[in-house]
Amino acid sequence: MAASTPTKGRVTAPAVAAHTSTDSPLVMVTAYDAPTARIADAAGVDMILVGDSVANVVLGYEDTLRVTTEDIAHHVGAVARTEPRALVVGDLPWLSYHVSTSETVHNAAKLVRAGAGAVKLEGGRKRLEAVQAILDAEIPVMGHLGLTPQSVHALGGFRVQGKDLDTARAIVDDAEALAAAGCFAVVLECVPDAVARLVTDTIAVPTIGIGAGRHCDGQVLVMHDLLGLEDRKPPKFVRRYADLANDAIAAVSHFADDVRNGRFPSSDETYHAADTVSESLNLYTGEAAEDTPSERAPAT
Ligand code: KIV
């Protein structure tokens, strides 16, 4: 974690906001449940994002538009109950901050009550009212610009954003507005590295890139992508650090093979009754004991 942020105790949104360009880059990964949250925290990441990507990564939906605040809160709860050192950021899903400021604040509060230390929402100047209302309720907000998957239909697909001067300028202006409003960090998704660099050099709070090149203050990846647990062809910005899907298939196939060939369970993996009880039971069923007493684990 950055030198200007506490190395002991929990990572906080103000500590992330205080990150400077001389600190080591911030690291964020997604996690949606307790085992992946424990993995992320044991690996020492700074932030765990309970992203709306849970929709396609875990719940089998086509896009992120299907999940609700209740869905995200359910997953935030699972992550937060592991009591990670990392800051837990809950993603506000589509339509949870678009209708009214009152609904927006109540939805953000649901994620905080489930255990999030901050929330993230997509969009720039268009969403300033929502950002302001959440901040007024004392909830830290992370922005998200560039490719904003909740706007997939409006954007006409999942495409790199900010490729021409006008759209690049709009992203910089949006980032400045979010930072000025009080966001503690801004995610930049799928934008050219020159755009990410300009945003990073322009705003005072850290940028966290995903498909935005190396000039951001930090990087985020979807946990299942980096672990190789996804079977889709990953986008070019994903680096796979493991091949867990194939490792898992091999392990489950091995188990199936052992069961089908009588190699599982072994005597050591079996509870045994005391010899006298086993003998009586064997007499009762008319079968001879198969195990010799020396093979047996103590009765439990
Ligand atoms: O939901 C998510 O996983 C995200 C990341 C891609 C930043 O928003």
Side-chain angles (χ1 to χ4, degrees), residues 30 49 51-53 91 120 144 187 189 210 220 222:
T30 61
L49 172 65
D52 61 356
S53 53
D91 216 359
K120 175 170 83 61
H144 184 159
V187 168
E189 180 167 355
I210 176 161
V220 53
V222 168

Side-chain angles (χ1 to χ4, degrees), residues 2-21:
S4 61
T5 52
T7 49
K8 286 198 179 121
R10 291 195 170 181
V11 179
T12 64
V16 171
H19 180 274
T20 70
S21 55

Side-chain angles (χ1 to χ4, degrees), residues 139-243:
I139 301 170
V141 181
M142 176 181 275
H144 184 159
L145 297 171
L147 172 56
T148 46
Q150 293 173 15
S151 313
V152 58
H153 299 305
L155 295 174
F158 296 102
R159 299 205 175 95
V160 177
Q161 301 295 307
K163 284 166 82 173
D164 59 56
L165 269 184
D166 285 348
T167 54
R169 187 71 247 168
I171 291 172
V172 179
D173 291 347
D174 279 338
E176 283 191 280
L178 290 177
C183 286
F184 72 96
V186 176
V187 168
L188 296 175
E189 180 167 355
C190 290
V191 298
D193 56 351
V195 176
R197 182 176 215 162
L198 180 56
V199 173
T200 303
D201 290 347
T202 304
I203 64 173
V205 294
T207 55
I208 316 291
I210 176 161
R214 55 201 291 275
H215 303 297
C216 296
D217 295 299
Q219 299 289 331
V220 53
L221 278 180
V222 168
M223 167 86 84
H224 292 61
D225 283 340
L226 80 87
L227 292 181
L229 272 170
E230 275 278 293
D231 62 2
R232 68 179 172 140
K233 184 178 177 300
K236 78 181 248 181
F237 59 78
V238 168
R239 187 179 295 178
R240 283 206 161 146
Y241 289 86
D243 189 16

Side-chain angles (χ1 to χ4, degrees), residues 24 29 32 47 55 121 188 191 220 240 272 274 278-279 300:
S24 64
V29 292
Y32 317 109
M47 290 174 278
L121 59 75
L188 296 175
V191 298
V220 53
R240 283 206 161 146
H272 299 284
S278 290
E279 274 153 25
T300 48

Side-chain angles (χ1 to χ4, degrees), residues 3 10 83 89 100 139 158 250 295:
R10 291 195 170 181
E83 300 190 359
V89 181
S100 71
I139 301 170
F158 296 102
E295 280 181 308

